[in-house]
Amino acid sequence: MRRVVIVEDEELVRRGIVQAVDWAGVDCAVVGEAADGVEGLEVIGREKPDLVVTDIKMPRMDGIEMLKRLRDRGDPAAVILLTAYSDFSYAQAAVKLGAVDYLLKPFHDGELEEAVERLGERSGQAPAREAPEVSAGAKSRYVTEALGYVGEHYAEPDMSIAQVAQSLGLSEGHLSHVFKRETGKTLGSYITEVRMGRAKELLKDCRSKVYEVAEAVGYRDITYFSAAFKKTMGVSPSEFQKRGIE
């Protein structure tokens, strides 16, 4: 199992990354977290993670400088950088220092998991270990019930992978492994897929307001919803509605 350290100065964002990302589904475990680059260097030195997920813009020491210092001291940890800035110069600096991926914030459910999976593919690492084998019938039942639960509860803002697992009486890690093995996608990415699909249908009604659609598919923050929709569909919700895209 890959050991992960999260470095992010915004506490709510950091908590979200630690708790909402389907780490078990990509055979990872968060072993430490830090609020800036200075603290990050200390935690990384102590925990010796295989992967560091870090914001770029942080107080005291930013993610680029932290990555540079990690490389200077010979630390081989893979690094995924998060930033709200699309300036290509940041990406260039990150790549030169050995960052393995670069995600723009806000990223939606499943995107960070996909970045971790790409890391495994690039490094030739063996795929994530599967959950203990269960009978075909039980396995299909778990996935079927998870699909049904998401279909019924996608509009609830607090719906999470942990909540789905609890409803089935399974551990989060077990459900994540079984779901990925059976469907080929993470449960987090499936939740986003369902929400965006429903949003697309609702937006076809020109009378629907974007904020109403966001709330109807489980998003409290219209800005986050709009960013997630654009990343999925290629256009913003308002553009989608205006163009009448099928």
Side-chain angles (χ1 to χ4, degrees):
M1 180 169 283
R2 190 182 284 117
R3 295 164 59 83
V4 183
V5 165
I6 310 299
V7 187
E8 164 65 61
D9 63 306
E10 295 182 55
E11 185 176 0
L12 289 178
V13 175
R14 189 171 70 251
R15 288 285 86 212
I17 295 173
V18 172
Q19 297 175 0
V21 170
D22 185 9
W23 294 111
V26 288
D27 200 33
C28 290
V30 176
V31 297
E33 54 185 281
D36 58 52
V38 173
E39 185 180 342
L41 288 175
E42 296 175 358
V43 175
I44 293 165
R46 181 175 67 248
E47 299 294 341
K48 296 180 171 49
D50 306 294
L51 170 65
V52 176
V53 178
T54 180
D55 193 9
I56 285 183
K57 187 177 181 182
M58 297 182 292
R60 295 208 296 172
M61 182 187 295
D62 64 26
I64 298 294
E65 179 61 24
M66 184 187 74
L67 175 54
K68 182 178 184 302
R69 296 195 187 192
L70 284 175
R71 297 309 184 227
D72 287 345
R73 71 189 192 189
D75 194 308
V79 176
I80 295 176
L81 285 155
L82 311 174
T83 182
Y85 299 93
S86 57
D87 189 334
F88 186 63
S89 63
Y90 285 106
Q92 287 181 311
V95 170
K96 287 180 180 178
L97 291 169
V100 297
D101 218 327
Y102 182 90
L103 300 180
L104 292 178
K105 294 172 15 181
F107 51 89
H108 57 70
D109 293 343
E111 192 170 2
L112 185 50
E113 292 94 326
E114 290 169 2
V116 174
E117 289 183 324
R118 288 195 296 270
L119 166 61
E121 292 169 2
R122 281 194 292 268
S123 65
Q125 183 170 325
R129 293 192 293 275
E130 295 182 344
E133 282 291 336
V134 294
S135 70
K139 186 165 60 178
S140 296
R141 176 173 63 83
Y142 291 152
V143 173
T144 299
E145 290 184 4
L147 295 173
Y149 188 92
V150 172
E152 292 177 8
H153 298 273
Y154 69 86
E156 299 173 9
D158 296 325
M159 188 186 71
S160 65
I161 296 166
Q163 186 174 323
V164 179
Q166 184 178 17
S167 75
L168 301 180
L170 297 175
S171 71
E172 185 176 342
H174 191 169
L175 175 60
S176 294
H177 281 298
V178 171
F179 193 92
K180 178 65 183 297
R181 185 172 60 205
E182 286 291 289
T183 68
K185 63 184 68 176
T186 65
L187 183 51
S189 64
Y190 176 73
I191 292 171
T192 297
E193 182 179 308
V194 170
R195 284 173 162 163
M196 292 300 123
R198 179 55 178 157
K200 181 178 175 181
E201 292 302 313
L202 293 172
L203 286 167
K204 288 180 180 178
D205 184 344
C206 62
R207 296 169 298 178
S208 298
K209 307 296 185 185
V210 173
Y211 76 87
E212 293 174 335
V213 173
E215 292 176 355
V217 297
Y219 289 85
R220 292 192 179 100
D221 187 334
I222 187 173
T223 301
Y224 184 78
F225 165 72
S226 296
F229 188 92
K230 187 169 184 177
K231 285 183 178 179
T232 303
M233 302 298 180
V235 294
S236 70
S238 57
E239 290 172 329
F240 180 90
Q241 192 171 52
K242 182 177 181 180
R243 298 178 189 180
I245 298 175
E246 293 298 327

